[in-house]
Amino acid sequence: MATTSTSKPPTTINDLPDVILSNIIAAISDSRSRNSTSLACRKFLVLERSTRLTLTLRGNTRDLFMLPTCFRSVTHLDLSLLSPWGHPLLSPRASRAHPDFARATEDDPDSTLIAHLLRHAFPSVHALTLYARDPHALRVLPAQWPQLKHVKLVRWHQRPQLLANGDEFNLLFQGVPLLSSLDLSTFYCWTDDIPIALESNPVVSRNLTLLNLMNASFSEGFKTDEIRVITQCCPNLTELKMACMFESRYIGFVGDEALVCISNNCPKLSVLHLADTSVLSNCRADPDDEGFTEDDAKFSVSTLIEVFSGLSLLEELVLDVCNNVRDSGPALEILNTKCPKLRSLKLGQFHGVSVPIESKLDGVALCQGLESLSIRNVGDLDDMGLIAIGRGCTRLAKFEIQSCKKITMRGMRTLASLLRKSLVDVRISCCKNLGASSSLKALEPIQERIQRLHIDCVWDSVEEIENLNGVEYGFDLNETNGGEASSHGAGFGDTFGTMDDDIMFNRNKRCKYDYDLNSVCTEDNGYGNGFGGRTWDQLQYLSLWIGVGDLLTPLADAGLQCCPNLEEIKIRVEGDCRKWSKPSERAFGLSTLSRYHNLVKMHLDCGDIIGYAHTAPSGQMDLSLWERFYLFGIGNLNLRELDYWPPQDRDVNQRSLSLPAAGLLQECIALRKLFIHGTAHEHFMMFLLRIPNLRDVQLREDYYPAPENDMSTEMRSDSLSRFEAALNRRQICD
């Protein structure tokens, strides 16, 4: 009797239960990967849409018929990047001339329709990011979601002058009574607006647990009286970030009283960031500066001890001030004992943070739970203090040092050796003795682990680094649990005893080693002799600062020859090109980055280059020629995403894409996303249509203050809409 065998179909991913499959799809974070997943089949489409929680809308406000209605589960909605960028989302032009602007637009039918369409498309939103150029958007839009708890407002344009203090925030607070998180870090407003609005809305103020006021647009920052009102109105804050006025020459400067108010009124704080407004400008300091200012900060170490004692829940602390905080070590030791949960610390202009005597740890070196540490302008920090930090803070994964003149490559290299099992993120900036080559040489002990790196492209020579004649440090690395150093659990002996032998000495030979930083720098530790053959296996993100007129071409010779996994690079160029007649070479050197084969994302920030936007004086180059210098060779890179900041002419507040820049950008044939942080003429933008796979382009004037004249040929919405329509008509191969 013949039998027929039937073979069972193979098991596929579609056979998984929907619950498991939805969890798998929900774990995908990359937007493009999620979009690709949704195209596999209808089942995947339904599951992807139902698990999408975050969405950023990038369409044009004219195309409301294309508003997606399939993302019903989205909880975090970003409306700050709609096109045309920076233009009012809801307010019609006619209502702008009305004497009572807010009342005139309250019942505007077009605005109401758009708001209702957004609520219908995204009914589950409880976190909203909104570009609010005028108050009408704050009146109409947030109120569509009564359950809204998190709001981030964005505005780079100037605040409307006719509004009374606090009116904008009153409109917002009245529409979202359950608000618990407010982010104003990129919202152009006045410091006077916020305390008045919080006092006028006590229910919302008491509900707030997160308040971000770290805004670079503030000219003076918050003063003592304003800080007192804000902290009294918001006693339940767990996260507070604030730009302050620490300069004592101003009336109401932040001193002892303001700091004590924060700790007394907001004892639940786990995140506290206080920074002077001068720090937020991000201007590079003078590397020759000794790190000390003429005046001292007007708060004492005893006040810091009182503040730290009242904030026992702190996990993240930033104190970045503009004047000297001397002898801060005792306060930082109290910080370690009173705030046991502290994991991230940033200090600016603090002195005495680490002054070890006879190998005894002190100051910040006793904060053994730290995972992230940033120090800026510490005038008395030397190599021994830095090494003490490496001995004590053994869990550091992120370390940033800025404007510390006494630090050398020897001290930085020893720190890297001590932290080679944990350190993956390093920023070295504006340190006189740490140029590009010396910084990379110092980080050799962790070059196989480091993932994120920032250095300054100050091209120090190999001869300067290899000349290691200098101070000798005569401690015994083999000493174990001896002396006062071991009393803190971080003596030299037990620290190096846990390290791999091939870092500090040859693994095939045992011998006695003195604590000589000169020998540390000159040994062959398996990473290649001298500057040849370096491989940075795990490096994924690289940030560079470079002065105007300098070249990028020495980067590989400085020590970054091979970065097989480098995916993203950020280059910031700063300086006044009006002091230069012309560059020394034809090109900046972007083509040298072609050695990094996985490099797909670039931030090229030329926004801090100052020059002549129009006709330059005789013997000078205007900004269009400087743009050609910096962008020449960019077409040789396989970039998929590019953020570009054109140089500026401050006299006319202009950052505009030039004709040479548009012509060079069109050579980036692999680009899919291009964001120009400035303006451009419409016919220059049409050059970009020659990029075959370009899918997303936007002009963003995201700098203070953004240009107000929207009817110029470079910014009018009709021009931008025509370009986007031409872009969307093209067929994209994938």
Side-chain angles (χ1 to χ4, degrees):
M1 183 177 180
T3 59
T4 59
S5 61
T6 59
S7 60
K8 295 180 64 176
T11 302
T12 65
I13 193 172
N14 284 318
D15 296 321
L16 290 174
D18 287 351
V19 175
I20 298 177
L21 191 57
S22 63
N23 288 334
I24 294 174
I25 295 178
I28 303 175
S29 58
D30 180 65
S31 297
R32 191 156 186 245
S33 299
R34 293 189 68 98
N35 293 337
S36 300
T37 302
S38 66
L39 297 176
C41 62
R42 182 168 294 276
K43 181 179 180 179
F44 278 27
L45 173 65
V46 173
L47 291 175
E48 194 281 325
R49 297 297 188 255
S50 64
T51 57
R52 178 86 69 118
L53 300 180
T54 302
L55 187 68
T56 299
L57 286 185
R58 280 282 294 106
N60 196 299
T61 53
R62 295 182 175 185
D63 302 326
L64 285 177
F65 66 93
M66 298 180 65
L67 185 68
T69 58
C70 54
F71 297 99
R72 310 287 292 179
S73 300
V74 166
T75 58
H76 293 67
L77 180 63
D78 189 344
L79 301 177
S80 65
L81 298 177
L82 290 171
S83 290
W85 183 93
H87 289 255
L89 172 62
L90 300 181
S91 300
R93 296 177 182 175
S95 64
R96 288 180 175 271
H98 198 281
D100 188 350
F101 176 76
R103 184 164 54 85
T105 58
E106 183 173 3
D107 299 321
D108 177 68
D110 292 338
S111 300
T112 304
L113 174 62
I114 295 174
H116 283 298
L117 288 174
L118 288 169
R119 182 188 62 182
H120 175 72
F122 310 105
S124 304
V125 171
H126 65 70
L128 177 67
T129 301
L130 174 66
Y131 197 101
R133 187 165 175 179
D134 55 50
H136 183 51
L138 296 177
R139 174 191 292 274
V140 176
L141 202 54
Q144 301 300 319
W145 295 280
Q147 73 277 18
L148 204 62
K149 295 183 178 180
H150 309 279
V151 172
K152 179 177 181 180
L153 300 181
V154 181
R155 180 170 66 202
W156 298 88
H157 294 82
Q158 294 190 24
R159 174 192 184 277
Q161 299 292 323
L162 299 179
L163 289 175
N165 289 343
D167 278 0
E168 288 182 295
F169 298 112
N170 287 331
L171 295 175
L172 172 66
F173 293 157
Q174 292 167 9
V176 284
L178 300 180
L179 187 67
S180 63
S181 172
L182 179 61
D183 188 344
L184 303 177
S185 58
T186 52
F187 185 71
Y188 202 143
C189 61
W190 297 342
T191 56
D192 301 341
D193 292 327
I194 298 163
I196 294 176
L198 292 175
E199 281 186 306
S200 303
N201 299 271
V203 175
V204 173
S205 300
R206 286 193 297 270
N207 287 339
L208 283 177
T209 59
L210 186 153
L211 184 59
N212 190 344
L213 305 175
M214 192 68 72
N215 195 318
S217 70
F218 295 150
S219 59
E220 296 184 357
F222 290 93
K223 300 179 180 179
T224 296
D225 292 341
E226 295 166 333
I227 292 176
R228 183 190 305 111
V229 172
I230 291 172
T231 54
Q232 287 176 348
C233 292
C234 308
N236 295 313
L237 286 177
T238 60
E239 182 172 333
L240 175 61
K241 300 179 180 180
M242 185 177 295
C244 302
M245 174 50 67
F246 286 100
E247 178 55 65
S248 58
R249 291 176 294 179
Y250 288 81
I251 297 175
F253 64 87
V254 174
D256 294 315
E257 181 184 352
L259 297 181
V260 172
C261 278
I262 293 175
S263 63
N264 290 341
N265 296 334
C266 303
K268 301 178 182 179
L269 283 175
S270 61
V271 176
L272 176 61
H273 291 194
L274 302 177
D276 190 81
T277 51
S278 61
V279 178
L280 303 180
S281 63
N282 201 27
C283 293
R284 179 177 169 84
D286 183 2
D288 292 321
D289 190 356
E290 296 293 338
F292 294 94
T293 58
E294 295 182 0
D295 301 322
D296 291 347
K298 298 305 180 181
F299 55 85
S300 62
V301 172
S302 59
T303 297
L304 290 176
I305 293 175
E306 181 180 353
V307 171
F308 298 156
S309 300
L311 298 175
S312 59
L313 302 179
L314 271 184
E315 300 178 12
E316 187 175 321
L317 175 63
V318 172
L319 289 175
D320 206 347
V321 301
C322 60
N323 290 327
N324 302 319
V325 182
R326 299 181 185 272
D327 302 321
S328 61
L332 298 176
E333 294 176 11
I334 296 296
L335 178 64
N336 174 57
T337 58
K338 298 297 183 180
C339 305
K341 296 182 179 180
L342 189 68
R343 295 295 177 265
S344 177
L345 178 62
K346 181 176 182 179
L347 301 172
Q349 215 66 51
F350 277 61
H351 308 295
V353 298
S354 177
V355 188
I357 300 176
E358 296 180 354
S359 302
K360 183 178 180 179
L361 302 182
D362 72 332
V364 73
L366 295 179
C367 298
Q368 300 179 3
L370 285 181
E371 298 174 0
S372 174
L373 176 61
S374 175
I375 47 181
R376 181 187 66 85
N377 277 14
V378 184
D380 57 359
L381 182 67
D382 56 14
D383 284 344
M384 294 307 299
L386 188 65
I387 293 167
I389 293 174
R391 291 168 50 211
C393 305
T394 57
R395 300 180 182 178
L396 281 182
K398 179 179 179 181
F399 180 71
E400 177 180 0
I401 186 168
Q402 179 181 351
S403 300
C404 295
K405 185 178 180 180
K406 294 184 178 181
I407 298 300
T408 69
M409 188 254 289
R410 300 184 185 94
M412 191 65 206
R413 185 181 178 99
T414 307
L415 174 86
S417 298
L418 290 164
L419 299 175
R420 65 177 298 266
K421 292 188 176 180
S422 62
L423 196 59
V424 294
D425 188 346
V426 178
R427 293 181 59 89
I428 304 173
S429 177
C430 203
C431 295
K432 182 177 181 179
N433 298 312
L434 290 172
S437 299
S438 53
S439 297
L440 295 172
K441 184 73 174 178
L443 296 176
E444 276 187 347
I446 59 171
Q447 70 177 35
E448 291 185 341
R449 288 182 47 86
I450 191 169
Q451 299 174 10
R452 299 175 65 87
L453 172 64
H454 170 88
I455 58 172
D456 291 345
C457 293
V458 178
W459 306 120
D460 44 356
S461 66
V462 176
E463 290 77 11
E464 291 175 359
I465 298 173
E466 293 181 342
N467 181 17
L468 298 174
N469 295 325
V471 180
E472 301 276 344
Y473 302 96
F475 294 98
D476 184 4
L477 292 176
N478 302 278
E479 180 183 354
T480 305
N481 295 328
E484 294 177 334
S486 63
S487 64
H488 299 289
F492 283 102
D494 51 3
T495 300
F496 283 107
T498 61
M499 297 171 59
D500 291 343
D501 292 343
D502 59 343
I503 290 299
M504 300 304 296
F505 47 83
N506 192 309
R507 67 171 66 220
N508 295 323
K509 183 174 71 172
R510 297 190 59 179
C511 59
K512 186 177 180 66
Y513 286 84
D514 289 334
Y515 190 56
D516 177 6
L517 294 182
N518 301 284
S519 64
V520 171
C521 295
T522 56
E523 290 176 29
D524 178 11
N525 52 24
Y527 297 113
N529 296 322
F531 290 83
R534 298 192 195 178
T535 301
W536 303 76
D537 292 328
Q538 301 300 320
L539 188 63
Q540 301 173 9
Y541 172 86
L542 176 63
S543 174
L544 304 172
W545 176 94
I546 189 167
V548 67
D550 292 337
L551 303 178
L552 190 64
T553 46
L555 182 63
D557 293 334
L560 283 173
Q561 292 95 342
C562 184
C563 304
N565 293 304
L566 183 63
E567 298 177 354
E568 182 175 358
I569 189 169
K570 180 176 181 179
I571 303 173
R572 178 170 172 251
V573 190
E574 182 180 359
D576 191 345
C577 65
R578 295 174 297 186
K579 300 178 181 178
W580 291 68
S581 59
K582 63 178 181 178
S584 59
E585 300 289 342
R586 180 187 181 190
F588 173 55
L590 287 182
S591 58
T592 61
L593 301 178
S594 60
R595 66 173 60 240
Y596 310 127
H597 302 296
N598 287 333
L599 183 63
V600 294
K601 297 177 65 175
M602 174 182 286
H603 293 243
L604 181 57
D605 187 354
C606 298
D608 290 315
I609 297 178
I610 305 170
Y612 300 102
H614 304 297
T615 303
S618 177
Q620 298 283 331
M621 289 170 40
D622 61 29
L623 289 180
S624 64
L625 299 180
W626 280 101
E627 278 196 280
R628 181 174 65 182
F629 167 72
Y630 280 105
L631 289 173
F632 191 86
I634 195 171
N636 297 329
L637 308 180
N638 192 32
L639 296 177
R640 296 183 182 176
E641 298 183 25
L642 174 63
D643 283 74
Y644 174 60
W645 286 258
Q648 63 171 312
D649 188 335
R650 290 181 179 175
D651 294 337
V652 294
N653 190 27
Q654 181 174 351
R655 305 177 189 228
S656 181
L657 189 74
S658 64
L659 176 60
L664 290 169
L665 289 177
Q666 73 173 354
E667 297 177 1
C668 302
I669 60 174
L671 268 187
R672 294 189 65 89
K673 295 183 179 182
L674 173 61
F675 302 118
I676 299 171
H677 300 262
T679 62
H681 290 282
E682 181 179 355
H683 56 285
F684 290 172
M685 295 290 290
M686 292 302 176
F687 279 61
L688 305 178
L689 296 176
R690 302 175 185 177
I691 304 176
N693 292 316
L694 191 62
R695 198 71 190 94
D696 194 0
V697 183
Q698 193 169 48
L699 297 180
R700 300 174 181 172
E701 300 106 58
D702 48 358
Y703 48 89
Y704 295 114
E708 292 290 336
N709 185 12
D710 292 346
M711 294 309 295
S712 71
T713 57
E714 300 184 21
M715 288 169 286
R716 58 189 180 194
S717 59
D718 290 342
S719 300
L720 299 174
S721 297
R722 281 194 294 269
F723 169 76
E724 290 181 347
L727 184 69
N728 293 331
R729 284 195 299 266
R730 302 185 312 157
Q731 294 293 326
I732 305 298
C733 62
D734 59 349

